[in-house]
């Protein structure tokens, strides 16, 4: 149950510009492709910056924008090529990073997409917020099958059908019997980690006579707890 990585969801057909691309060509590319930002690469295809619509605004404004220093505004307002107006260094990520890490980085830096680079800093793809969100949009039947197969049959070694996962809009209800009470919180935790799960309701039971935990518990009765994502 490996966590999905950026490499699993990124777009590899990336539109980029070089440092020497004219600003007018950058603007035409953005408009024609309906995109709001482009990676900027050097002659070795290494990402050196990102140029966005916001970077082009100073050319249309008569006075500095509040989020730019006077020096930065002058540089962008008078820039002729992508290298003059780009934001540098670029906020990037590698393909082996998790989707969760990519989401945190986007939020931390206030960006909607990240250039994906290899170990040498060369452009390998791009990942957007939309790409990340698609990971969490999964059919209930797909989630149910993965939970029953990967969590209970493979990870916990239970026979098929020992535990049933009922899924509705990402909320999972677990029913059935596990080998011991100590496995119940483990099962809940593993289920929560499946991509697309938003909440877990556990009605798992332990075998009659099992007193591994909580001697006051009643054997064979449902162990109901609701666990959402942290």
């Amino acid at each position: 149950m490996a966590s999905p990585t950026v490499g699993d969801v990124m777009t590899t057909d990336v539109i980029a510009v070089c440092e020497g691309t004219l600003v007018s060509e950058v603007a035409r590319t953005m408009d024609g492709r309906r995109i709001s930002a482009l990676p900027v690469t050097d002659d070795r295809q290494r990402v050196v910056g990102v140029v966005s619509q916001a970077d082009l605004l100073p050319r249309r404004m008569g006075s500095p924008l509040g989020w730019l220093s006077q020096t930065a505004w002058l540089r962008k307002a008078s820039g002729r090529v992508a290298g003059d107006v780009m934001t540098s260094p670029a906020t990037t990520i590698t393909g082996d990073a998790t989707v969760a890490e990519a989401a945190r980085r986007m939020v931390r830096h206030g960006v909607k997409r990240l250039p994906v680079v290899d170990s040498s800093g060369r452009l390998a793809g791009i990942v957007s917020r939309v790409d990340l969100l698609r990971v969490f949009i999964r059919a209930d039947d797909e989630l149910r099958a993965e939970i029953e197969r990967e969590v209970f049959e493979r990870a916990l070694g239970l026979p098929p059908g020992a535990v049933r996962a009922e899924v509705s809009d990402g909320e999972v209800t677990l029913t059935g019997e596990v080998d011991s009470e100590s496995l119940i919180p483990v099962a809940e935790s593993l289920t929560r980690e499946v991509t697309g799960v938003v909440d877990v309701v556990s009605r798992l039971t332990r075998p009659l006579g099992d007193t591994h935990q909580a001697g006051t518990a009643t054997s064979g009765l449902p162990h109901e707890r609701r666990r959402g994502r942290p």
Side-chain angles (χ1 to χ4, degrees), residues 43-226:
D43 56 2
R44 294 186 178 182
Q45 292 300 301
R46 294 176 301 193
V47 177
V48 294
V50 171
V51 60
S52 69
Q53 291 172 337
D55 291 317
L56 303 183
L57 285 178
R59 296 176 62 85
R60 303 287 183 181
M61 306 292 290
S63 59
L65 299 169
W67 46 270
L68 280 175
S69 67
Q70 180 78 21
T71 300
W73 181 82
L74 288 172
R75 175 174 59 81
K76 292 177 185 290
S78 61
R80 296 183 59 255
V81 296
D84 296 332
V85 301
M86 68 183 182
T87 297
S88 180
T91 301
T92 62
I93 199 160
T94 58
D96 58 358
T98 65
V99 163
E101 171 58 28
R104 285 192 293 268
R105 195 165 300 186
M106 286 182 185
V107 171
R108 189 182 309 128
H109 294 278
V111 296
K112 297 179 180 179
R113 59 189 53 79
L114 295 170
V116 184
V117 297
D118 64 15
S119 58
S120 299
R122 290 189 294 266
L123 184 64
I126 197 159
V127 64
S128 69
R129 290 180 182 177
V130 173
D131 296 325
L132 302 185
L133 286 173
R134 287 196 186 105
V135 173
F136 297 98
I137 302 174
R138 303 182 63 187
D140 288 343
D141 286 346
E142 180 186 354
L143 271 178
R144 177 192 54 76
E146 179 174 341
I147 292 165
E148 291 180 356
R149 181 182 66 251
E150 299 295 334
V151 173
F152 292 98
E153 295 175 25
R154 293 189 179 177
L156 299 181
L158 298 177
V163 170
R164 178 172 175 77
E166 298 178 2
V167 185
S168 177
D169 295 329
E171 180 177 293
V172 182
T173 300
L174 302 174
T175 56
E177 186 176 280
V178 295
D179 291 341
S180 69
E181 185 164 347
S182 62
L183 286 181
I184 292 176
V186 175
E188 295 169 355
S189 178
L190 291 175
T191 301
R192 280 201 310 276
E193 294 303 313
V194 175
T195 301
V197 171
V198 297
D199 196 14
V200 177
V201 176
S202 174
R203 295 175 180 163
L204 297 173
T205 60
R206 57 186 172 85
L208 292 172
D210 176 56
T211 56
H212 182 72
Q213 284 188 342
T216 58
T218 303
S219 301
L221 293 180
H223 184 101
E224 180 163 342
R225 297 196 295 187
R226 178 181 290 270

